[in-house]
Amino acid sequence: MSMITERPVSNSAGQPPVRTVGEASATGRRDVRAVVSAYVALTKPRIVELLLVTTVPAMMLADGGMPSLWLVAVVLVGGSLAAGAASVLNCYIDRDIDQLMRRTKRRPLPAHTVAPRNALVFGLVLAVISVALMAAATNWLAAGLTLAAIAYYDLVYTLWLKRTTAANTFWGGACGAAPVLIGWAAVTGSLAPAAWGLFAVVFFWQMPHFYALAIKYKADYARAGIPMLPVVASVRRVNAEIIIFSWLTLLSSLAVWPLGMSPIYGVTALVVGGIFVVEAHKLCRRAARGEAVKPMRLFHWSTTYLTILFAAVALDALI
């Protein structure tokens, strides 16, 4: 990153050097960009993006086609603000352990680029706006689910489960799967079996997805005292859960097929789900043999899997 160098400006009074107008302006713009970038980083945009990947297809399936663009826009904005709020508050709560982990020590709070109080206020404001927007533009069920997801993620998962139990990923899974229900409820004002089926897919998917990440950063979590499963359990136990939940992800996706879905979705679910399960078995087989594992291979494929599966949901709804 380029640096701006201060240049002395001579003056007869012997006063301290000052920046020229151009330099001061450039520095000011840089400072504003840095502040904006720090606040955006608190919202964890990549997580927001992944959540929205599941929301819009669920809305399309609920509508049986393409919902009104106004409703889609409202849910996208409201959902992004809600997910961002949950992430900001998560960063505020976890600021003590984030500074101990190499993966997170450059986040705005441990790096001291944003004050904790400012982050707290920012997160709460985003939460209020998101819930208010959902309540005003959709319905009370969607708004209630939005509020519940934020509260559960920050107060139940981040503040309690994450720090106290190796089952934290399992019990926290409802938060990541909530956007499916929120999107469906925004369209219909209710929840149908297909909505719960897609919820189950995302819920079970999170275990192998996050366990792979936890294997990669096992030392980080251990240093911070976070009892992620790969930190406190045997390789055999971790392998068993990765395989079980990978299969449950596949089976849940296939269970949605008879709920009004066409072969477009069914074949896609079978193929990409099968690849997901194979990748999980490969990872576990290498771990069981004591070989060098490549957990991020499963982690990245799991993201691709979810994207393809929900793209099939959207295509099925349109056709």
Side-chain angles (χ1 to χ4, degrees):
M1 183 168 59
S2 62
M3 298 181 64
I4 298 176
T5 304
E6 291 189 11
R7 181 168 74 242
V9 178
S10 60
N11 58 77
S12 57
Q15 294 177 352
V18 296
R19 290 191 182 98
T20 64
V21 173
E23 287 176 319
S25 177
T27 302
R29 288 195 298 269
R30 180 185 174 192
D31 290 343
V32 170
R33 286 197 298 269
V35 170
V36 172
S37 177
Y39 278 93
V40 170
L42 285 173
T43 66
K44 302 179 184 178
R46 294 185 67 181
I47 294 179
V48 173
E49 178 184 347
L50 188 60
L51 295 177
L52 296 181
V53 163
T54 64
T55 304
V56 176
M59 294 179 68
M60 295 172 66
L61 185 60
D63 186 77
M66 190 68 196
S68 72
L69 294 181
W70 163 251
L71 181 61
V72 172
V74 167
V75 174
L76 285 177
V77 173
S80 297
L81 292 174
S87 294
V88 173
L89 295 174
N90 167 268
C91 288
Y92 172 79
I93 296 168
D94 276 353
R95 64 191 186 280
D96 60 330
I97 60 176
D98 278 351
Q99 64 186 348
L100 303 176
M101 299 173 62
R102 293 175 183 172
R103 184 173 67 91
T104 58
K105 67 181 181 180
R106 291 189 177 89
R107 286 178 177 173
L109 289 177
H112 305 293
T113 54
V114 175
R117 182 178 181 277
N118 293 348
L120 176 61
V121 172
F122 180 50
L124 291 175
V125 168
L126 289 182
V128 170
I129 294 174
S130 66
V131 175
L133 177 62
M134 295 295 286
T138 61
N139 53 66
W140 287 107
L141 177 59
L145 289 170
T146 300
L147 176 60
I150 297 172
Y152 188 90
Y153 180 71
D154 290 312
L155 300 180
V156 179
Y157 170 73
T158 303
L159 199 59
W160 176 37
L161 295 173
K162 182 177 180 179
R163 298 171 183 246
T164 59
T165 174
N168 50 24
T169 303
F170 177 84
W171 293 112
C175 306
V180 172
L181 301 182
I182 294 170
W184 193 288
V187 173
T188 67
S190 61
L191 297 174
W196 289 108
L198 293 177
F199 173 88
V201 172
V202 183
F203 177 83
F204 291 129
W205 164 87
Q206 287 177 96
M207 266 59 77
H209 176 73
F210 283 109
Y211 287 160
L213 187 68
I215 292 172
K216 169 71 174 179
Y217 295 104
K218 179 179 177 179
D220 256 6
Y221 285 114
R223 188 180 303 110
I226 300 300
M228 299 297 288
L229 190 70
V231 174
V232 300
S234 66
V235 171
R236 183 177 180 180
R237 167 75 182 279
V238 176
N239 287 351
E241 292 211 15
I242 288 176
I243 290 174
I244 289 171
F245 286 115
S246 296
W247 275 101
L248 286 174
T249 302
L250 171 60
L251 295 175
S252 297
S253 68
L254 294 177
V256 177
W257 190 353
L259 301 177
M261 307 296 286
S262 77
I264 293 174
Y265 167 84
V267 173
T268 302
L270 184 61
V271 172
V272 296
I275 296 173
F276 185 36
V277 169
V278 168
E279 287 295 332
H281 276 274
K282 285 181 178 179
L283 171 64
C284 294
R285 187 161 54 247
R286 287 192 295 266
R289 292 173 179 172
E291 301 173 358
V293 296
K294 299 178 180 178
M296 297 308 287
R297 178 185 174 96
L298 177 61
F299 177 82
H300 291 306
W301 170 251
S302 65
T303 302
T304 303
Y305 160 78
L306 200 68
T307 303
I308 295 174
L309 182 72
F310 275 84
V313 172
L315 182 61
D316 198 299
L318 286 175
I319 296 177

